[in-house]
Amino acid sequence: MVKQHTPVHLTWLKRRTWRSPHIIHIMTQQQPPWPSPYPNANPNPRGKCWLILVLIAVLPLADVGALPFLFTHLKPQINWTQPEMESWVIEEQPRSIQPHLEPVLHPNRTHRVLSSDSTDAEFLQRLVSIRHNQTASSRMLWYDVAGGDGLVYPPFVDKALKLLNLKQVAFEIENSVMSKVTCTACRAGAGMLQHQIQSGKTDAELIRMITDYCTNLNIQSARVCQGVAQLFGSELIYVLKRVNLSPDELCSFVIGDGCADVYNPYHEWEVIFPPVPKPPRLADLPIPMEAAPFFKVLHISDTHYDPHYAEGSNADCNEPLCCRLSSGRPATPNAAAGKWGDYRKCDTPKRTVDHMLSHIAETHKDIDYILWTGDLPPHDVWNQTKEENLAIIKDTVKQMVEMFPGVPIFPALGNHESAPVNSFPPPYVNQVDISISWLYDELDIQWRRWLPQSVTHTVRRGAFYSVLVRPGFRITSLNMNYCNNKNWWLLLNSTDPATELQWFIYELQSAEFSNEKVHVIGHIPPGHSDCLKVWSRNFYKIISRYESTVTAQFYGHTHYDEFEMFYDPHDLNHPNGIAYIGPSVSPYYDLNPGYRIYYVDGDHDATTRLVIDHESWIMNLKEANLYGYPIWYKLYTARAAYNMKALRPSDWNNLLNELTNNQELFELYYKYYWKNSPARPTCDAECKKRLICDCRSGRSHDRKHFCAEVESKIDEESSKSWKSWFYKGLTNSAEERTEVPAATTSDGYGPLDVVIVNVGG
């Protein structure tokens, strides 16, 4: 029986009515605590459809009267008004206080850290001999005019393309690599859209304008342009009509550090911590005991099941998602979609999902519980409906129940579950036609197959919850879409949407009082560039305050196999948290399908609840399509692959230092990061800096704070490598010169003589 429970110690929360996400604490007297961050480039395989919505930016070239919006010093004064408060009393909500998981005895189950795995090594050696996939070249979202596609643009449009460099903008948006180019396009588009709204154009006229320019510029096919304009245009126009933000403020909010750190009192806030001293921190966490009981945990993320995937259809289309009958016929045999999936912009066919789940159920019969971190629908973001997304959620939940009967599953909400994608209005947006209750109410029904009744209140409010798994061990699932900077609704007010972070503090403080350890699950990693910088900053403080309580975090979203580090904000030499980012099931794009297995310190007197080890399993998609049958195999085990004595935050921090200094080890990490995909590109010094900084940055849009030293070391090593190559070339030339008779020229030097001029340094 689950009862409402409020610890006696939490009197600081009693009789407090939490204000709606509008105002917790507005910082109007000081600048943001960090200077303009460094660009946070993170390869991300999901298209961002808001590009189409800013293409209206080309209009200023035909309407000079609209140009004043580009001058930010003309921005009107912000008149701040306090919105109405919404009553939601955190301590009155039921809590899970009864252990939810009944452990199952698995005789003779062990987990050994092996120094090598000969079977895997032999199998991997065979994979090395496979030829590289011929579709690894990147493709843009439109046809290349220079490539001879026959398109001729009007002169002013051609100038607009050159001015705004929309092709680079599209690439950066699609890969979450934001720079000043994207920032310029965003400011122009946002300003012009605001100008058109203020001029009195109707919603229908604005949407038609967006559709026409998207189509005429050949940004996408006509149906994609129309679908995106209809799905996203109405929502964006609704929000822009209700905010008083300049283009600079809008784009700083959406893009982050790629567009400066513009101070805006609407989007600067702080959560409130209880007046409880932080427990003394340990110099380092103890290493989990060997041969002690453990939990075996399955982590599945980013399935992106596509019910319309069609083998043999066009996999090389010019839309955000291919491999469907609607994608057309393939131009060449190589352009045809494979039976089990494709490395190009295609999601997961049903047969691949079915085969993976069957393989897991057969291979890992001793799974104790499952972490399921979201993104179930496919990437057809221009053509989605609420009904179809709900159908996919229901079908996949039903399948998980059937494949893993009796196994507890702890889900988290992805950004693709809503329609349109990334649209998650906070509770104060409660109009029937735009409220998110259509999704959250159904999630509560579906998730209750595994979760206790106590989670209903928070799931229906904001799709987050907390469950006591075992005595002293709790799992908390967060809705990371409230940190999603592509969630337009947060432009209205981003202050702790749904009061989620304040509730999170309440849960962690209760856990601290009860001596519980907590694992946090979610979809978007808090340090990713898709996470709002102000939300991420507050989350980072929470993790630092409760570092003795939160022992691991688990996310998805990026589709890669990686991790993020957390440090004491006042002492970067003290790592205090680790976030595991699991690989995607979907191959979208250039990836092999994969999943992860964790071994978590189990029930015993000295348990740490740390992750003891983890394994990544993949299916080689090229071989599966070539031979007609997939083989799932263990790609690597973390401790054996990286020679780690444990997986504590300090151990991951040591690995980061080794990755910076050891190029061979980094190349191994890079292979696993791409899930051993034959389509992975090469990684230069800039790529290496980006990946290692991604690992160090558990706080988004703050790379300068975390990565300056790492980037300096990599630049230094890169410079040494270049100098070594250069001087080696000079040495070889000199050796050759001694063997070849040299004729003297009029200037006194032989034809192979080298003159070295000291230019300083």
Side-chain angles (χ1 to χ4, degrees):
M1 180 68 180
V2 177
K3 299 180 180 179
Q4 180 178 332
H5 172 66
T6 303
V8 177
H9 305 78
L10 294 184
T11 53
W12 66 278
L13 278 174
K14 276 295 188 183
R15 294 180 297 278
R16 176 184 293 275
T17 298
W18 297 102
R19 296 186 176 183
S20 151
H22 301 297
I23 295 182
I24 287 182
H25 177 65
I26 302 295
M27 302 189 328
T28 56
Q29 302 300 322
Q30 63 182 25
Q31 293 293 320
W34 295 283
S36 299
Y38 197 74
N40 183 2
N42 188 351
N44 189 324
R46 294 165 314 285
K48 301 293 189 294
C49 286
W50 63 270
L51 166 67
I52 296 175
L53 301 178
V54 302
L55 290 178
I56 199 71
V58 300
L59 285 176
L61 298 169
D63 184 2
V64 179
L67 289 176
F69 73 79
L70 293 175
F71 299 93
T72 57
H73 65 277
L74 300 178
K75 182 180 78 68
Q77 179 70 28
I78 292 178
N79 295 318
W80 173 260
T81 57
Q82 177 172 324
E84 294 182 3
M85 292 191 303
E86 175 206 25
S87 296
W88 187 65
V89 184
I90 294 177
E91 68 271 20
E92 291 182 359
Q93 308 309 312
R95 296 190 70 240
S96 169
I97 61 174
Q98 296 295 332
H100 189 60
L101 175 65
E102 290 298 330
V104 178
L105 295 178
H106 300 282
N108 303 320
R109 182 172 74 167
T110 60
H111 170 67
R112 294 184 300 138
V113 180
L114 304 178
S115 59
S116 64
D117 191 322
S118 59
T119 303
D120 285 352
E122 293 174 359
F123 190 76
L124 289 175
Q125 185 62 39
R126 179 167 62 87
L127 295 180
V128 171
S129 64
I130 300 175
R131 293 180 302 170
H132 284 262
N133 187 287
Q134 297 300 312
T135 66
S137 59
S138 60
R139 290 162 286 104
M140 302 305 297
L141 293 178
W142 51 69
Y143 297 105
D144 189 353
V145 177
D149 59 16
L151 295 175
V152 179
Y153 298 135
F156 87 93
V157 174
D158 187 59
K159 290 181 181 178
L161 289 172
K162 293 178 181 178
L163 174 65
L164 298 177
N165 200 355
L166 295 179
K167 289 189 176 183
Q168 182 175 343
V169 172
F171 176 82
E172 291 180 357
I173 292 171
E174 194 168 7
N175 293 274
S176 292
V177 182
M178 306 300 188
S179 73
K180 291 182 179 179
V181 175
T182 300
C183 184
T184 301
C186 175
R187 287 169 175 168
M192 191 57 215
L193 191 54
Q194 288 179 317
H195 172 77
Q196 296 296 333
I197 291 174
Q198 294 166 5
S199 68
K201 290 189 180 295
T202 65
D203 291 6
E205 290 174 325
L206 292 169
I207 291 173
R208 184 166 59 250
M209 190 181 304
I210 294 171
T211 303
D212 290 344
Y213 272 84
C214 170
T215 305
N216 293 337
L217 289 175
N218 204 33
I219 299 303
Q220 271 293 341
S221 65
R223 63 173 183 162
V224 173
C225 291
Q226 183 177 8
V228 167
Q230 290 291 339
L231 278 174
F232 297 85
S234 299
E235 178 182 294
L236 179 60
I237 294 168
Y238 177 95
V239 171
L240 290 182
K241 284 182 176 180
R242 289 160 174 80
V243 298
N244 185 19
L245 300 177
S246 71
D248 279 354
E249 291 166 334
L250 286 170
C251 295
S252 177
F253 177 90
V254 172
I255 294 176
D257 58 357
C259 209
D261 193 358
V262 178
Y263 173 66
N264 179 2
Y266 283 99
H267 300 292
E268 291 296 336
W269 48 273
E270 299 275 7
V271 292
I272 302 172
F273 288 95
V276 179
K278 178 180 177 179
R281 78 182 193 192
L282 300 175
D284 202 355
L285 297 176
I287 296 178
M289 294 173 52
E290 294 290 346
F294 61 85
F295 293 129
K296 186 174 182 179
V297 182
L298 169 65
H299 184 188
I300 297 177
S301 193
D302 297 88
T303 309
H304 292 292
Y305 155 58
D306 186 0
H308 303 292
Y309 185 97
E311 178 185 358
S313 60
N314 185 14
D316 201 12
C317 70
N318 284 279
E319 293 183 340
L321 184 65
C322 306
C323 294
R324 294 175 155 197
L325 292 177
S326 58
S327 304
R329 294 179 178 274
T332 64
N334 189 54
K339 177 179 180 179
W340 296 96
D342 203 281
Y343 286 119
R344 289 159 287 196
K345 291 185 179 179
C346 305
D347 274 321
T348 319
K350 186 177 188 304
R351 62 164 58 96
T352 302
V353 176
D354 294 345
H355 192 278
M356 180 194 73
L357 296 179
S358 297
H359 148 77
I360 293 174
E362 181 63 28
T363 306
H364 308 286
K365 296 181 180 180
D366 55 346
I367 291 174
D368 291 298
Y369 62 88
I370 299 172
L371 305 179
W372 197 18
T373 52
D375 266 13
L376 310 182
H379 287 86
D380 58 337
V381 294
W382 74 95
N383 191 39
Q384 290 182 333
T385 65
K386 296 176 181 178
E387 294 73 21
E388 183 169 356
N389 279 15
L390 288 179
I392 289 175
I393 292 172
K394 293 176 184 177
D395 289 346
T396 50
V397 167
K398 181 174 180 289
Q399 185 178 30
M400 293 292 285
V401 170
E402 293 173 349
M403 295 301 299
F404 304 102
V407 178
I409 299 179
F410 300 98
L413 181 63
N415 62 301
H416 277 265
E417 271 78 303
S418 184
V421 66
N422 299 318
S423 176
F424 296 88
Y428 60 80
V429 181
N430 54 16
Q431 294 91 323
V432 175
D433 57 333
I434 55 179
S435 168
I436 195 65
S437 60
W438 66 271
L439 177 60
Y440 292 175
D441 290 354
E442 186 60 40
L443 288 179
D444 179 48
I445 294 172
Q446 299 300 322
W447 290 359
R448 283 283 302 281
R449 295 170 183 253
W450 307 296
L451 304 179
Q453 184 179 359
S454 60
V455 307
T456 290
H457 298 272
T458 54
V459 169
R460 288 182 180 256
R461 174 178 173 81
F464 50 85
Y465 62 87
S466 182
V467 173
L468 185 67
V469 181
R470 295 291 299 146
F473 179 42
R474 180 174 295 273
I475 289 179
T476 298
S477 177
L478 296 179
N479 182 355
M480 301 301 290
N481 292 293
Y482 290 139
C483 89
N484 186 352
N485 54 16
K486 307 306 181 295
N487 183 4
W488 298 109
W489 297 103
L490 301 186
L491 285 168
L492 295 173
N493 195 298
S494 66
T495 307
D496 194 16
T499 330
E500 180 181 33
L501 288 184
Q502 206 65 58
W503 167 87
F504 185 42
I505 291 174
Y506 175 85
E507 285 293 324
L508 292 179
Q509 188 60 65
S510 300
E512 182 181 280
F513 285 146
S514 302
N515 199 28
E516 296 171 354
K517 302 301 182 184
V518 176
H519 284 184
V520 178
I521 67 173
H523 182 66
I524 300 174
H528 192 270
S529 60
D530 285 347
C531 187
L532 283 175
K533 51 191 173 185
V534 63
W535 198 99
S536 181
R537 284 201 298 260
N538 278 281
F539 182 84
Y540 204 85
K541 293 177 183 177
I542 295 172
I543 295 300
S544 178
R545 165 58 184 85
Y546 296 101
E547 64 175 275
S548 62
T549 300
V550 178
T551 57
Q553 303 173 54
F554 306 88
Y555 303 97
H557 188 62
T558 71
H559 291 207
Y560 298 101
D561 188 305
E562 50 183 327
F563 65 95
E564 278 182 1
M565 290 294 304
F566 290 75
Y567 298 87
D568 187 319
H570 307 293
D571 181 9
L572 294 185
N573 292 318
H574 174 62
N576 60 16
I578 175 68
Y580 298 94
I581 304 176
S584 64
V585 175
S586 174
Y588 191 101
Y589 56 93
D590 287 343
L591 295 168
N592 284 317
Y595 65 89
R596 174 114 21 110
I597 295 288
Y598 299 98
Y599 298 92
V600 175
D601 204 2
D603 290 343
H604 58 92
D605 292 341
T607 183
T608 62
R609 303 297 183 187
L610 291 169
V611 174
I612 301 171
D613 207 351
H614 76 66
E615 305 167 349
S616 285
W617 291 66
I618 67 166
M619 178 256 281
N620 185 282
L621 188 55
K622 185 175 179 65
E623 273 209 335
N625 287 332
L626 182 63
Y627 299 116
Y629 189 80
I631 297 177
W632 298 86
Y633 68 97
K634 183 171 62 178
L635 177 62
Y636 76 99
T637 301
R639 288 174 61 185
Y642 300 128
N643 194 26
M644 302 171 71
K645 61 181 180 181
L647 299 188
R648 302 166 298 175
S650 58
D651 299 304
W652 286 106
N653 185 59
N654 292 337
L655 174 64
L656 269 182
N657 294 332
E658 292 184 37
L659 291 177
T660 304
N661 302 319
N662 186 331
Q663 182 60 26
E664 184 178 353
L665 184 64
F666 174 79
E667 290 174 357
L668 181 67
Y669 171 78
Y670 185 68
K671 180 177 77 171
Y672 297 155
Y673 172 89
W674 278 88
K675 295 182 282 184
N676 200 29
S677 169
R680 67 181 181 272
T682 56
C683 189
D684 58 13
E686 289 302 313
C687 162
K688 182 178 181 179
K689 286 191 293 186
R690 184 177 69 245
L691 294 189
I692 294 180
C693 283
D694 287 344
C695 293
R696 283 186 62 88
S697 304
R699 187 170 65 205
S700 69
H701 305 286
D702 206 0
R703 301 179 75 83
K704 277 188 176 180
H705 190 73
F706 293 102
C707 300
E709 182 179 354
V710 169
E711 291 178 335
S712 177
K713 286 183 179 180
I714 296 175
D715 285 337
E716 183 180 351
E717 289 300 319
S718 177
S719 175
K720 288 180 180 179
S721 299
W722 183 87
K723 290 178 181 178
S724 174
W725 171 84
F726 180 74
Y727 285 115
K728 184 177 181 180
L730 295 182
T731 303
N732 292 340
S733 297
E735 291 175 352
E736 293 176 4
R737 185 183 59 184
T738 60
E739 300 176 1
V740 180
T744 303
T745 61
S746 59
D747 58 6
Y749 296 107
L752 294 179
D753 286 337
V754 178
V755 179
I756 300 178
V757 181
N758 187 350
V759 294

